[in-house]
Amino acid sequence: MFMRINWGKIKHGCWDEYEEKYIRTANEQQEAVGGPVARWLLRDLDDEDAGYAVSLWNTEEEMRTYTTSGDVRKRIEKEFGNLFTGEFSTKLCEVKHSTDYL
């Protein structure tokens, strides 16, 4: 399994709009072309304007293809560009161990 972890800072007061757009666009993208097997949106407890978008993928190839897709970048810029402060990073990881306690 592979994980894509995005961190970003949202303009102050824009979290609710960002969250609504994130959920809508993630669901639309999943229905249209597929993608990760799971997604999480996390809001930082110490900075209400910062958060993480985490996605879990079956293969590294699928994750990298999604990450480098020009269409995905254009859509993200169109939907979210006005909400970010410019502070944003993405990390691609291999899941080395997982334990489910649910």
Side-chain angles (χ1 to χ4, degrees), residues 29-80:
Q29 184 267 333
Q30 192 72 20
E31 289 175 10
V33 296
V37 296
R39 293 180 192 259
W40 297 269
L41 179 61
L42 308 135
R43 190 173 192 180
D44 192 312
L45 290 174
D46 296 320
D47 182 351
E48 67 180 22
D49 297 325
Y52 300 85
V54 179
S55 55
L56 186 65
W57 300 80
N58 282 319
T59 70
E60 181 179 2
E61 180 182 7
E62 290 172 335
M63 179 180 65
R64 287 190 182 277
T65 298
Y66 176 85
T67 299
T68 59
S69 169
D71 291 339
V72 171
R73 289 180 186 211
K74 287 177 189 174
R75 184 171 187 178
I76 289 171
E77 288 175 13
K78 178 183 175 192
E79 291 287 334
F80 303 103

Side-chain angles (χ1 to χ4, degrees), residues 77-91:
E77 288 175 13
K78 178 183 175 192
E79 291 287 334
F80 303 103
N82 65 323
L83 299 176
F84 283 105
T85 63
E87 298 175 71
F88 187 85
S89 66
T90 299
K91 298 294 182 189

